[in-house]
Amino acid sequence: MKLDIIGDIHGCYAEFEHLTKELGYDWNSGIPIHPEGRKLAFVGDLTDRGPESLKAAEVVWKLVIKHSLAYYVPGNHCNKLYRYLLGNKVQTTHGLETTVAEFSSLNDKDKRAFREMFLDLYDTSPLYHVLDEGRLVIAHAGIREDYIGKNNSKVKTFVLYGDITGQTNPDGTPVRRDWAKKYQGKVTVVYGHTPVKQPRIVNNTYNIDTGAVFGGLLTALRYPEMELVSVPSSMPLAAEKFREIE
């Protein structure tokens, strides 16, 4: 199994296209296809904050659902957009407002098409992927070793939001424990969710959310080579959004 696992895109479609081309993918068909049969994988949070969330989600839907050329797991932002599209009451804050603005600008036919497509992508995707005969897990915010193979509400909260304490930071985001420092599993865990300036490798875990939407990098991990490839973001730098982890 040869994969290129991509960190949180957050609507940074141009960076996504740039990164896949750097990885050797061909876009002539309108979607990224690798000439050697490599597949893409996504750690979630395709949308929100960036300029082209709908386009990013559409390409991932085509790759995952239409052509079976990629793997996707939902992130917390994907979950919130899913609930919004179902008609649930959600606050259009923390980036969702940008996706909703894009969605609201569509005509009714295109709104229905996007809604159907995104609900399809979300509904048919697992909470986390266990791949390569159990050697690799892709989970949006990570996963504890003892949670692998389980799908209860505790696992869902952990996978979508990380190891949260129940407290909030001054900016309204939840306080998260550093679960990776305690991870001792043999299974490689690749995740995103927490923006870091450079990919963070700790105890067989790889955080590849390098904050593209905050002016950092969009990063991919090539598996099983374990090589990191990044491209710079065109977004303005928001240094305060990166979590400094020792």
Side-chain angles (χ1 to χ4, degrees):
M1 168 170 274
K2 293 196 172 182
L3 297 175
D4 297 300
I5 309 165
I6 294 183
D8 303 38
I9 296 173
H10 277 301
C12 295
Y13 182 85
E15 289 82 350
F16 167 50
E17 190 173 335
H18 181 188
L19 179 57
T20 51
K21 286 178 177 175
E22 286 287 312
L23 292 164
Y25 286 76
D26 187 313
W27 280 79
N28 287 338
S29 64
I31 57 172
I33 297 176
H34 201 281
E36 295 170 12
R38 298 182 72 92
K39 289 188 175 185
L40 290 167
F42 301 90
V43 302
D45 282 4
L46 308 174
T47 61
D48 294 358
R49 297 193 175 108
E52 295 180 285
S53 288
L54 305 193
K55 212 169 170 183
E58 183 180 0
V59 168
V60 173
W61 174 82
K62 285 178 180 175
L63 284 166
V64 174
I65 304 297
K66 207 171 176 185
H67 300 286
S68 299
L69 288 173
Y71 299 92
Y72 157 83
V73 295
N76 57 305
H77 285 262
C78 304
N79 174 265
K80 198 174 181 185
L81 176 59
Y82 175 77
R83 289 183 284 121
Y84 170 83
L85 292 171
L86 284 177
N88 296 354
K89 277 191 177 180
V90 296
Q91 291 188 325
T92 51
T93 54
H94 296 294
L96 180 60
E97 66 277 7
T98 63
T99 308
V100 169
E102 273 194 80
F103 179 73
S104 299
S105 72
L106 300 176
N107 61 43
D108 287 347
K109 182 184 174 184
D110 289 344
K111 277 181 183 169
R112 283 193 299 271
F114 178 80
R115 180 180 179 278
E116 188 178 310
M117 179 197 72
F118 191 81
L119 295 182
D120 183 30
L121 176 65
Y122 192 99
D123 281 332
T124 55
S125 296
L127 194 54
Y128 56 92
H129 267 295
V130 181
L131 301 169
D132 197 18
E133 299 179 345
R135 287 186 281 266
L136 171 68
V137 167
I138 300 171
H140 174 62
I143 192 167
R144 275 176 24 183
E145 185 182 12
D146 58 322
Y147 283 175
I148 297 171
K150 298 175 184 174
N151 280 288
N152 58 41
S153 59
K154 270 188 179 179
V155 176
K156 182 177 181 181
T157 298
F158 194 104
V159 165
L160 289 179
Y161 300 100
D163 192 1
I164 54 176
T165 65
Q167 299 172 307
T168 54
N169 293 306
D171 66 353
T173 57
V175 174
R176 305 168 198 159
R177 298 182 191 91
D178 187 2
W179 66 272
K181 270 191 175 177
K182 296 178 181 176
Y183 184 79
Q184 297 298 325
K186 290 182 180 177
V187 179
T188 300
V189 178
V190 183
Y191 69 107
H193 185 57
T194 302
V196 287
K197 288 180 180 175
Q198 296 292 332
R200 182 180 186 240
I201 306 167
V202 177
N203 296 334
N204 209 19
T205 73
Y206 291 72
N207 179 355
I208 56 169
D209 178 9
T210 44
V213 78
F214 299 126
L217 306 165
L218 185 63
T219 294
L221 174 68
R222 304 183 81 226
Y223 180 92
E225 299 88 348
M226 309 315 276
E227 295 168 6
L228 291 155
V229 179
S230 300
V231 296
S233 172
S234 61
M235 301 288 284
L237 181 64
E240 73 281 359
K241 295 293 185 181
F242 290 85
R243 183 172 171 191
E244 295 293 341
I245 307 174
E246 295 305 322

